[in-house]
């Protein structure tokens, strides 16, 4: 039984240039040949086009498959694999792919944070990122002093990749074509590679097989047609007028997990990331829960009532809590 129905030919996602995780999603979309369209949102909040969906959420990308909205590239990629099964990228070693990609997402993104040329960024961006990571006391001048250490760590990561590719494999898991893991590692390293100071670290004489792997993906992605664009108001209108596409019976409601979390089906909850962006919570009614996914339905109240959407979150990396009676959760 398929877990999706009435899937749109061209899903809609929200993001901005320069985000490694938006780039990761775009790599996945291109590998799967999905002609998705992007709503461009600003580098810093408020991101009114996402808020227009009735979804307060701090990070990007966000992707809608009909009226089912997905958060975080890990869950987004799984949803795309099920909704658009042609050109599979998670067909083999699924658990291992998730684990390896999560490892690189975490360590390489944090490494990139230390390598970013913060001295060339506006103060407004620095202040926003302090809120984003929950570190109001961070000193970006001190971060700049760690750049050479970060370059050394980057070289260590590249050395591990070089060792991995030393057996002559073409793609990370010796598959006939690139996988989710290839897309994930490539996107975050390509973001780091875009910083001028790091380019000497990507030395083809030191890491020939890794640089060759990069080159193969560079060529592959350059040959793909560009993804489309759509304006925020048009995207919202299309999403609200569409149908729910995910079969929630395939997710179910795990009563054991609910008991562990102190939750019940139909409870009013808020969900937020556990690391960066946790200052913004997403409220809704809990309608599905498994060990890997939680789904809430938005409740729209007030002067301008808009249709409810279902918002899907991965369990790992996100916290869920019930809203006590009387607490203003803006449901």
């Amino acid at each position: 039984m398929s877990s999706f129905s009435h899937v749109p030919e061209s899903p809609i996602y929200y993001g901005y240039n320069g985000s490694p995780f938006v780039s990761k999603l775009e790599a996945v979309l291109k590998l799967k040949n999905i002609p998705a369209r992007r709503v461009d949102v600003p580098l810093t909040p408020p991101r009114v086009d996402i808020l227009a969906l009735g979804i307060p959420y701090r990070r990007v990308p966000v992707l809608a498959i009909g009226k089912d909205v997905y958060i975080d590239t890990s869950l987004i990629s799984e949803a795309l694999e099920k909704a658009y099964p042609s050109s599979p990228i998670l067909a083999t070693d699924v658990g291992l792919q998730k684990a390896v990609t999560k490892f690189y997402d975490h360590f390489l993104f944090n490494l990139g944070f230390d390598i970013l040329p913060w001295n060339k960024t506006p103060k407004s961006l620095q202040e926003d990122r302090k809120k984003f990571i929950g570190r109001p006391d961070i000193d970006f001048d001190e971060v700049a002093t760690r750049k050479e250490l970060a370059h050394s760590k980057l070289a260590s990561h590249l050395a591990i990749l070089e060792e991995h590719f030393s057996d002559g494999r073409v793609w990370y898991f010796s598959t006939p074509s690139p996988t989710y893991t290839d897309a994930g590692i490539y996107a975050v390293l390509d973001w780091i590679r875009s910083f001028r100071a790091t380019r000497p670290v990507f030395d083809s004489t030191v890491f020939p097989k890794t640089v060759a792997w990069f080159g193969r993906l560079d060529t592959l992605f350059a040959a793909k047609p560009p993804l489309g664009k759509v304006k925020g108001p048009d995207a919202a209108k299309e999403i609200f007028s569409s149908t729910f596409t995910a079969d929630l019976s395939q997710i179910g409601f795990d009563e054991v997990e609910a008991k562990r979390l102190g939750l019940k089906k139909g409870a009013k909850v808020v969900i937020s990331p556990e690391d960066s962006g946790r200052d913004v919570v997403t409220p809704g009614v809990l309608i599905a829960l498994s060990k890997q996914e939680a789904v809430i339905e938005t409740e729209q109240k007030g002067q301008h009532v808009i249709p409810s959407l279902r918002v899907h979150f991965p369990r790992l990396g996100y916290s869920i809590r019930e809203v006590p009676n009387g607490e203003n959760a803006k449901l």
Side-chain angles (χ1 to χ4, degrees), residues 280-301:
V280 176
V281 300
T282 307
V285 175
L286 185 64
I287 58 174
L289 180 71
S290 71
K291 293 177 177 62
Q292 297 193 55
E293 186 173 349
V295 187
I296 60 174
E297 187 164 352
T298 59
E299 283 191 341
Q300 309 302 340
K301 298 180 179 179

